[in-house]
Coordinates of all heavy atoms in Angstrom, one line a residue:
G28 N 131.7 86.6 108.3 CA 132.5 86.2 109.5 C 131.9 86.6 110.8 O 132.5 86.4 111.8
K29 N 130.8 87.3 110.8 CA 130.2 87.8 112.0 C 128.8 87.2 112.2 O 128.2 86.7 111.3 CB 130.1 89.3 112.0 CG 131.4 90.0 111.9 CD 131.3 91.5 112.1 CE 132.6 92.2 112.1 NZ 132.5 93.7 112.3
Q30 N 128.3 87.2 113.4 CA 127.0 86.8 113.8 C 125.9 87.8 113.3 O 126.2 89.0 113.2 CB 126.9 86.5 115.3 CG 127.7 85.4 115.8 CD 127.4 85.1 117.3 OE1 127.0 86.0 118.0 NE2 127.4 83.8 117.6
R31 N 124.8 87.2 113.1 CA 123.6 88.1 112.7 C 123.3 88.9 113.9 O 123.2 88.5 115.0 CB 122.4 87.2 112.2 CG 121.3 88.1 111.6 CD 120.2 87.2 111.0 NE 120.8 86.3 110.0 CZ 120.0 85.5 109.2 NH1 118.6 85.5 109.4 NH2 120.5 84.8 108.3
E32 N 123.0 90.2 113.6 CA 122.7 91.1 114.7 C 121.4 91.9 114.4 O 121.1 92.2 113.2 CB 123.8 92.1 115.0 CG 124.2 93.0 113.8 CD 125.2 94.0 114.2 OE1 125.7 94.1 115.3 OE2 125.6 94.8 113.2
L33 N 120.7 92.3 115.5 CA 119.5 93.1 115.3 C 120.0 94.6 115.0 O 120.8 95.1 115.7 CB 118.7 93.1 116.6 CG 117.5 94.0 116.6 CD1 116.4 93.6 115.6 CD2 116.9 94.1 118.0
V34 N 119.3 95.1 114.0 CA 119.6 96.5 113.6 C 118.5 97.4 114.2 O 118.8 98.4 114.8 CB 119.7 96.7 112.1 CG1 119.9 98.1 111.7 CG2 120.8 95.8 111.5
A35 N 117.3 97.1 113.9 CA 116.2 97.9 114.3 C 114.9 97.1 114.3 O 114.8 96.1 113.5 CB 116.0 99.1 113.4
L36 N 113.9 97.5 115.2 CA 112.6 96.8 115.1 C 111.6 97.8 115.5 O 111.8 98.9 116.1 CB 112.6 95.6 116.1 CG 112.8 95.9 117.6 CD1 111.5 96.3 118.3 CD2 113.3 94.6 118.3
I37 N 110.3 97.5 115.1 CA 109.2 98.4 115.3 C 108.0 97.5 115.6 O 107.7 96.5 115.0 CB 108.9 99.3 114.1 CG1 107.8 100.3 114.4 CG2 108.7 98.5 112.8 CD1 107.7 101.4 113.4
T38 N 107.3 97.9 116.7 CA 106.1 97.1 117.1 C 104.9 97.6 116.3 O 104.9 98.6 115.6 CB 105.8 97.3 118.5 OG1 105.4 98.6 118.8 CG2 107.0 97.0 119.4
S39 N 103.8 96.9 116.4 CA 102.6 97.3 115.7 C 102.1 98.6 116.2 O 101.4 99.3 115.5 CB 101.5 96.2 115.9 OG 101.2 96.0 117.3
G40 N 102.5 99.0 117.4 CA 102.1 100.3 117.9 C 103.0 101.4 117.6 O 102.8 102.6 118.0
G41 N 104.1 101.1 116.9 CA 105.0 102.1 116.5 C 106.2 102.3 117.4 O 107.0 103.3 117.2
I42 N 106.4 101.5 118.4 CA 107.5 101.6 119.3 C 108.8 101.1 118.6 O 108.7 100.0 118.0 CB 107.3 100.9 120.6 CG1 106.1 101.5 121.4 CG2 108.5 100.9 121.5 CD1 105.7 100.8 122.6
T43 N 109.8 101.8 118.6 CA 111.0 101.4 117.9 C 112.2 101.2 118.8 O 112.3 101.7 120.0 CB 111.5 102.5 116.9 OG1 111.7 103.7 117.6 CG2 110.4 102.7 115.8
N44 N 113.1 100.4 118.3 CA 114.4 100.1 119.1 C 115.5 99.9 118.1 O 115.3 99.3 117.0 CB 114.2 98.8 119.9 CG 115.4 98.6 120.9 OD1 115.9 99.6 121.4 ND2 115.7 97.4 121.1
Y45 N 116.7 100.5 118.4 CA 117.8 100.4 117.5 C 119.1 99.9 118.1 O 119.3 100.1 119.3 CB 118.1 101.9 117.0 CG 117.0 102.5 116.2 CD1 116.0 103.3 116.8 CD2 116.9 102.3 114.8 CE1 115.0 103.8 116.0 CE2 115.9 102.8 114.0 CZ 114.9 103.6 114.7 OH 113.9 104.2 113.9
A46 N 119.9 99.3 117.3 CA 121.2 99.0 117.8 C 122.0 100.3 118.0 O 121.8 101.3 117.3 CB 122.0 98.1 116.8
D47 N 122.9 100.3 119.0 CA 123.6 101.5 119.3 C 124.4 102.0 118.1 O 124.6 103.2 117.9 CB 124.6 101.3 120.5 CG 123.8 101.2 121.8 OD1 122.7 101.6 121.9 OD2 124.4 100.7 122.8
S48 N 124.9 101.1 117.3 CA 125.7 101.4 116.2 C 125.0 102.2 115.1 O 125.7 102.8 114.2 CB 126.4 100.2 115.6 OG 125.4 99.3 115.1
V49 N 123.7 102.2 115.1 CA 122.9 102.8 114.0 C 122.0 103.9 114.5 O 121.4 104.6 113.7 CB 122.1 101.8 113.2 CG1 122.9 100.7 112.7 CG2 120.9 101.3 114.0
K50 N 122.0 104.1 115.8 CA 121.1 105.2 116.3 C 121.5 106.6 115.7 O 122.7 106.9 115.7 CB 121.3 105.2 117.9 CG 120.5 104.2 118.6 CD 120.6 104.3 120.1 CE 119.8 103.2 120.8 NZ 120.0 103.2 122.3
G51 N 120.5 107.3 115.4 CA 120.8 108.6 114.8 C 121.0 108.6 113.3 O 121.0 109.7 112.6
R52 N 121.3 107.4 112.7 CA 121.5 107.3 111.3 C 120.4 106.5 110.5 O 120.1 106.8 109.4 CB 122.9 106.6 111.1 CG 124.1 107.3 111.7 CD 125.4 106.7 111.2 NE 125.5 105.3 111.7 CZ 125.7 104.3 110.9 NH1 125.8 104.5 109.6 NH2 125.9 103.1 111.4
F53 N 119.9 105.5 111.2 CA 118.9 104.7 110.6 C 117.5 105.0 111.2 O 117.4 105.3 112.4 CB 119.2 103.2 110.8 CG 120.4 102.7 110.1 CD1 121.3 103.5 109.4 CD2 120.6 101.3 110.0 CE1 122.4 103.0 108.7 CE2 121.7 100.8 109.4 CZ 122.6 101.7 108.7
T54 N 116.5 104.8 110.4 CA 115.1 105.0 110.9 C 114.2 103.9 110.3 O 114.2 103.6 109.1 CB 114.5 106.3 110.4 OG1 115.3 107.4 110.9 CG2 113.1 106.5 110.9
I55 N 113.6 103.2 111.2 CA 112.7 102.1 110.8 C 111.2 102.7 110.9 O 110.9 103.5 111.8 CB 112.8 100.9 111.7 CG1 112.0 99.7 111.1 CG2 112.4 101.2 113.2 CD1 112.3 98.4 111.8
S56 N 110.4 102.2 109.9 CA 109.0 102.6 109.9 C 108.2 101.5 109.3 O 108.8 100.5 108.7 CB 108.8 103.9 109.1 OG 109.3 103.7 107.7
R57 N 106.9 101.6 109.4 CA 106.1 100.5 108.8 C 104.7 101.1 108.4 O 104.3 102.1 109.0 CB 105.8 99.4 109.8 CG 105.1 99.7 111.1 CD 105.1 98.6 112.1 NE 104.2 97.5 111.7 CZ 104.1 96.4 112.4 NH1 104.8 96.2 113.5 NH2 103.2 95.5 112.1
D58 N 104.2 100.5 107.4 CA 102.8 100.9 106.9 C 102.0 99.6 107.1 O 102.1 98.6 106.4 CB 102.9 101.2 105.4 CG 101.6 101.7 104.9 OD1 100.5 101.2 105.4 OD2 101.6 102.4 103.9
N59 N 101.2 99.6 108.2 CA 100.4 98.5 108.6 C 99.4 98.1 107.5 O 99.1 96.9 107.3 CB 99.7 98.7 109.9 CG 100.7 98.8 111.1 OD1 101.8 98.2 111.1 ND2 100.4 99.6 112.1
A60 N 98.9 99.1 106.8 CA 97.9 98.8 105.8 C 98.5 98.0 104.6 O 97.8 97.2 104.0 CB 97.2 100.1 105.3
K61 N 99.8 98.3 104.4 CA 100.5 97.6 103.3 C 101.3 96.4 103.8 O 102.0 95.8 103.0 CB 101.3 98.6 102.5 CG 100.6 99.7 101.8 CD 101.5 100.6 101.1 CE 100.8 101.7 100.4 NZ 101.7 102.6 99.6
N62 N 101.3 96.2 105.1 CA 102.1 95.1 105.6 C 103.6 95.2 105.2 O 104.2 94.2 104.8 CB 101.6 93.7 105.3 CG 100.2 93.5 105.9 OD1 100.1 93.6 107.1 ND2 99.2 93.2 105.1
T63 N 104.1 96.4 105.2 CA 105.4 96.7 104.7 C 106.2 97.5 105.8 O 105.7 98.4 106.4 CB 105.4 97.5 103.4 OG1 104.6 96.8 102.4 CG2 106.7 97.9 102.9
A64 N 107.5 97.1 105.9 CA 108.4 97.9 106.8 C 109.5 98.5 105.9 O 109.8 98.0 104.9 CB 109.0 96.9 107.8
Y65 N 110.0 99.6 106.4 CA 111.1 100.3 105.7 C 112.3 100.5 106.7 O 112.1 100.7 107.9 CB 110.6 101.6 105.2 CG 109.3 101.5 104.4 CD1 108.1 101.7 105.0 CD2 109.4 101.2 103.0 CE1 106.9 101.6 104.2 CE2 108.3 101.1 102.3 CZ 107.0 101.3 102.8 OH 105.9 101.2 102.1
L66 N 113.5 100.6 106.1 CA 114.6 101.0 106.9 C 115.4 102.1 106.1 O 115.9 101.8 105.0 CB 115.6 99.8 107.1 CG 116.7 100.1 108.0 CD1 116.3 100.4 109.5 CD2 117.7 99.0 108.1
Q67 N 115.3 103.3 106.5 CA 116.0 104.4 105.9 C 117.4 104.5 106.5 O 117.5 104.6 107.8 CB 115.2 105.7 106.1 CG 115.9 106.9 105.5 CD 116.0 106.9 104.0 OE1 115.1 106.6 103.4 NE2 117.2 107.2 103.5
M68 N 118.4 104.3 105.7 CA 119.8 104.3 106.2 C 120.5 105.5 105.7 O 120.7 105.6 104.4 CB 120.4 103.0 105.8 CG 119.7 101.8 106.2 SD 120.6 100.2 105.8 CE 120.5 100.3 104.0
N69 N 120.9 106.4 106.5 CA 121.7 107.6 106.2 C 123.1 107.5 106.7 O 123.4 106.8 107.6 CB 121.0 108.8 106.7 CG 119.6 109.0 106.1 OD1 119.3 108.6 104.9 ND2 118.7 109.6 106.9
S70 N 123.9 108.4 106.2 CA 125.3 108.5 106.7 C 126.0 107.1 106.8 O 126.6 106.7 107.8 CB 125.4 109.2 108.1 OG 124.8 110.5 108.0

């Protein structure tokens, strides 16, 4: 029942941005060699 929202993003240079609702709880990372991104979600 809700619109899709951005949670987190990471640039190729490692710059990150987070939605206010997840700041301090979620961490985005990426492994460029593996073309893989991760989202660690705590709390």
